Amino acid sequence: EYLNDLHALDVRTYRWRAVETGGAAPQRRANHSSALLDDGTGSGPSELFVFGGWNGTERLNDVHVLDTETGTWTAPRVTGIKPHPRAGMTLTALRGRLYLFGGSGTSSKCFDDLQVLDREQMAWLDVNDENDGGGGGRQ
């Protein structure tokens, strides 16, 4: 079973609760990655980014963003060259960027590439050397 529900853990009580959201929620999936990116001030709004995964039929390379203040999902228009569809990758938020590493693609292909999404530009940046011989690459 693939899900697209959202839950939050209260770290004081260690109790989970379902989170009500609106907007265009991501399709049901598993093996996706998510990361929380704040505005850098520590007091402004945060956004929860969800990338990729597996929907039971195919690997995904889409990006969805939850505004944690309003509880609204969006599927932003992201420019640049998209990473290959994948599942089981890492996603780390740091200084206004999301760093995507690894994962598995079709035919059990394992990626060893680094992809960077710049939040301000809402664009995938080209950070890989095409001649490095790695298993990454983008499409």
Side-chain angles (χ1 to χ4, degrees), residues 11-132:
V11 294
R12 292 181 312 250
T13 64
Y14 294 105
R15 292 183 188 243
W16 287 97
R17 66 174 176 83
V19 177
E20 295 294 323
T21 61
Q27 66 176 288
R28 295 171 182 258
R29 65 188 65 212
N31 299 317
H32 58 282
S33 288
S34 62
L36 191 67
L37 189 61
D38 65 29
D39 70 351
T41 67
S43 61
S46 297
E47 296 172 311
L48 178 68
F49 282 75
V50 172
F51 174 84
W54 169 254
N55 67 5
T57 305
E58 63 183 346
R59 286 174 176 79
L60 307 168
N61 65 346
D62 53 350
V63 174
H64 294 269
V65 181
L66 177 71
D67 180 317
T68 61
E69 298 278 315
T70 66
T72 303
W73 285 106
T74 58
R77 181 178 176 279
V78 182
T79 61
I81 301 171
K82 287 183 178 182
H84 285 289
R86 62 188 71 199
M89 59 273 139
T90 64
L91 188 65
T92 303
L94 182 65
R95 297 185 185 120
R97 291 184 171 174
L98 294 164
Y99 296 83
L100 174 77
F101 180 76
S104 64
T106 57
S107 302
S108 300
K109 176 178 177 56
C110 291
F111 294 104
D112 64 355
D113 57 338
L114 175 67
Q115 309 294 330
V116 179
L117 177 66
D118 183 275
R119 173 61 184 97
E120 185 176 331
Q121 298 177 37
M122 197 52 85
W124 291 105
L125 306 179
D126 185 9
V127 298
N128 292 292
D129 181 356
E130 294 291 323
N131 299 316
D132 71 358

